[in-house]
Amino acid sequence: MNTTPPTDCRAWTRIAAHAETWKHARIDELLQNDPARTTAFVAEGAGLKLDYSRQRLGGLTLGLLAQLLQERGFEDWCGALLEGRVVNPTENRPAWHTALRAGETAPEEVKATLARMAQLADGMAGIRRIVNLGIGGSDLGPRLVYGALRAQRIREARFVASPDPAALAGALEGAEPDSTLFVVVSKTFTSAETLANAEAAKRWGGKRLIAVSNNVEAARRFGAAEVLPLPEWVGGRYSLWSAAGFSAFAALGAERFGELLAGARDMDQHFASAPPQRNLPVLMALIGIWNVNFLGCGTHAVLPYAHALRLLPAHLQQLEMESNGKRVDHRGSELAYATAPVVWGAEGTPSQHSFHQLLHQGTQVVPVDFIDPGLEALLSANARAQADALALGTQDPSLPPQRRHPGNRPCSILSMPGLGARALGALLAAWEHKVFTQGVLWNIDSFDQWGVELGKQMANERLKENR
Ligand code: F6P
């Protein structure tokens, strides 16, 4: 597979030259001069709709970015991802999360685990509360899914990641040992924080404890009554579709979880088959590359206009920044170009009365993704008004400078058909494919995370010294 730097590609040089001609482009003029833009710069896939007409780019920009994809050998990389070949060379592993939601065509081990998850959930009549103990990818994805679909829950779930005892204490308020199931999720079964919480759960009197892990032996030694397997070929931040999502599965029910998987599968099929310029996650990736590498934007905000999606930015932070926060390429050479932006955000609407001031008038240009499931007229009106205010601004010379809005701040609106499990699955899978596509373009390993190791090691040394 192609591991040459993107900067060696002819398309990269052409995009850089093209970017010069876009320096003074204005989004309001683009929209005025081309009324078809609001329908042409829209992509649909798996029920989602991406309106990127308020981005500072044109058709030629996307054509050149698509050429870059081709020169980088994107098709080969994509085939490797979807067929479960090694795409994480530093750990010599596939990243085969798409197999977890492949339905009928999923590997037997995936089907067997899903069947066991359903059996376990069926046998949980006396369980009133599930407490998920996990951190990073063993927490954020399932926590988000449960939080987003909580209105449809069949039992309560709580999620504990922090080893601060206050976190577990909060999750156990009002709980009884007999009706509480602890689900210890740790791929490695070595994360100090998760193990500390699992020990604390035992001290509290927790009697019912199962584990989800790739390290079955360690989980059994710990005393888990059952260990649901987590395949080695699934990365933590891509694992919510696996048994790592068991807490969400058992709290929402197998049917809801099945819909989540089906939505992700819809998106996988769209990603695998749509041409780049109509491929929703690929377009999200190309737009991101354009904003980071050619327009010089170092951060990216994600604003979901739904209270139920308030944890989305935290999940996407891990997905993007742990995957693509890298400074060397596949060959180990230091990069001469930027990779993942700082991803941040919060629930839209409350955020308007807080940090949007900076988005509208600050000195940094922050591209924004507005996520709109269309739940309430006020929410959608707000999302769309914010997008227009950022992109168009005000050109009224009678206003004092302090009250002027410069506009020309790029943003996209990602619309979802409501907030059902299927739409959520499609949304999360779209983001995974965006991240993968950017990793291919940046020539980096999106599936390792060596940067988190040094701090863990140093903390362990300190703990040993203090004992
Ligand atoms: O420290 C980072 C990380 O390795 C994440 O990638 C992972 O999701 C998290 O820790 C938890 O790891 P584990 O599931 O092995 O406890």
Side-chain angles (χ1 to χ4, degrees):
M1 274 174 312
N2 187 350
T3 59
T4 55
T7 43
D8 283 1
C9 295
R10 264 175 312 155
W12 186 278
T13 316
R14 292 187 63 195
I15 299 167
H18 172 77
E20 285 300 305
T21 66
W22 274 83
K23 259 195 177 149
H24 304 291
R26 286 206 51 94
I27 301 169
D28 52 355
E29 287 169 11
L30 293 172
L31 285 161
Q32 251 165 32
N33 297 342
D34 178 12
R37 191 175 167 90
T38 48
T39 45
F41 284 63
V42 169
E44 293 189 44
L48 307 186
K49 187 168 143 189
L50 177 75
D51 173 350
Y52 58 99
S53 59
R54 296 174 190 79
Q55 292 288 339
R56 203 138 67 84
L57 46 70
L60 180 57
T61 321
L62 291 173
L64 290 170
L65 286 160
Q67 259 179 40
L68 182 64
L69 270 182
Q70 212 182 359
E71 280 190 66
R72 287 286 308 113
F74 180 64
E75 241 179 73
D76 282 356
W77 280 100
C78 216
L81 175 87
L82 299 174
E83 287 158 23
R85 285 186 268 131
V86 172
V87 287
N88 172 4
T90 73
E91 295 178 305
N92 196 28
R93 279 181 201 158
W96 208 17
H97 36 282
T98 50
L100 297 166
R101 52 218 192 196
E104 284 305 307
T105 60
E108 284 312 313
E109 58 174 315
V110 169
K111 289 185 190 164
T113 303
L114 275 169
R116 182 64 190 136
M117 286 160 71
Q119 269 175 356
L120 278 177
D122 275 351
M124 281 172 51
I127 299 296
R128 284 205 293 276
R129 185 172 305 184
I130 299 168
V131 180
N132 192 85
L133 307 177
I135 199 161
S138 298
D139 167 71
L140 290 163
R143 187 194 285 257
L144 161 66
V145 168
Y146 173 73
L149 305 175
R150 187 171 174 271
Q152 303 170 47
R153 73 191 178 283
I154 51 180
R155 56 175 69 83
E156 200 62 41
R158 303 285 173 89
F159 293 79
V160 182
S162 167
D164 180 337
L168 184 62
L172 291 176
E173 262 172 35
E176 299 286 344
D178 284 335
S179 56
T180 301
L181 175 74
F182 289 96
V183 182
V184 185
V185 186
S186 177
K187 182 175 172 188
T188 56
F189 222 80
T190 59
S191 291
E193 299 81 359
T194 300
L195 297 182
N197 276 326
E199 291 289 358
K202 278 188 186 168
R203 288 197 298 278
W204 175 77
K207 301 172 183 163
R208 308 177 78 162
L209 183 146
I210 65 166
V212 180
S213 187
N214 183 243
N215 188 351
V216 176
E217 240 173 66
R220 285 215 184 285
R221 268 201 311 277
F222 182 80
E226 162 109 23
V227 186
L228 289 168
L230 201 49
E232 197 188 44
W233 43 259
V234 187
R237 53 199 175 273
Y238 298 88
S239 67
L240 73 94
W241 322 99
S242 71
F246 182 70
S247 295
F249 180 103
L252 300 169
E255 201 184 326
R256 246 357 113 252
F257 201 81
E259 286 167 14
L260 182 84
L261 298 184
R265 184 162 63 246
D266 295 342
M267 184 52 75
D268 294 342
Q269 283 160 1
H270 167 77
F271 174 65
S273 58
Q277 273 141 312
R278 286 210 300 276
N279 193 312
L280 191 143
V282 169
L283 281 165
M284 286 167 72
L286 299 182
I287 292 165
I289 297 269
W290 171 249
N291 285 334
V292 168
N293 298 105
F294 300 96
L295 299 186
C297 303
T299 89
H300 180 93
V302 181
L303 306 175
Y305 274 69
H307 186 63
L309 286 181
R310 64 196 177 281
L311 299 178
L312 181 68
H315 174 66
L316 299 183
Q317 263 175 344
Q318 186 195 27
L319 191 58
E320 290 212 22
M321 293 161 75
E322 199 174 53
S323 297
N324 286 343
K326 308 285 163 69
R327 53 176 275 287
V328 295
D329 69 10
H330 277 298
R331 298 173 174 186
S333 306
E334 283 214 27
L335 302 178
Y337 47 89
T339 55
V342 174
V343 177
W344 59 288
E347 179 190 347
T349 303
S351 63
Q352 290 172 201
H353 300 267
S354 156
F355 57 74
H356 284 222
Q357 167 60 39
L358 179 148
L359 299 179
H360 290 290
Q361 289 186 318
T363 51
Q364 302 196 38
V365 172
V366 182
V368 179
D369 280 337
F370 291 93
I371 314 292
D372 181 18
L375 300 182
E376 294 285 336
L378 177 58
L379 295 175
S380 289
N382 271 344
R384 280 147 216 278
Q386 288 294 315
D388 280 340
L390 284 171
L392 309 176
T394 49
Q395 305 306 318
D396 184 349
S398 68
L399 288 172
Q402 291 82 352
R403 296 183 60 181
R404 279 185 220 150
H405 286 61
N408 215 21
R409 300 182 173 221
C411 50
S412 297
I413 300 176
L414 188 51
S415 305
M416 299 168 70
L419 204 45
R422 196 158 185 147
L424 181 64
L427 175 77
L428 301 181
W431 230 284
E432 291 178 352
H433 294 317
K434 170 202 166 177
V435 168
F436 168 73
T437 305
Q438 292 191 327
V440 171
L441 288 173
W442 282 323
N443 194 31
I444 55 180
D445 188 332
S446 297
F447 299 107
D448 63 12
Q449 57 283 316
W450 298 106
V452 302
E453 292 305 321
L454 181 62
K456 280 190 202 171
Q457 195 187 312
M458 287 179 165
N460 284 338
E461 281 159 16
R462 275 168 188 260
L463 280 172
K464 265 189 222 147
E465 278 164 23
N466 294 344
R467 257 183 221 134

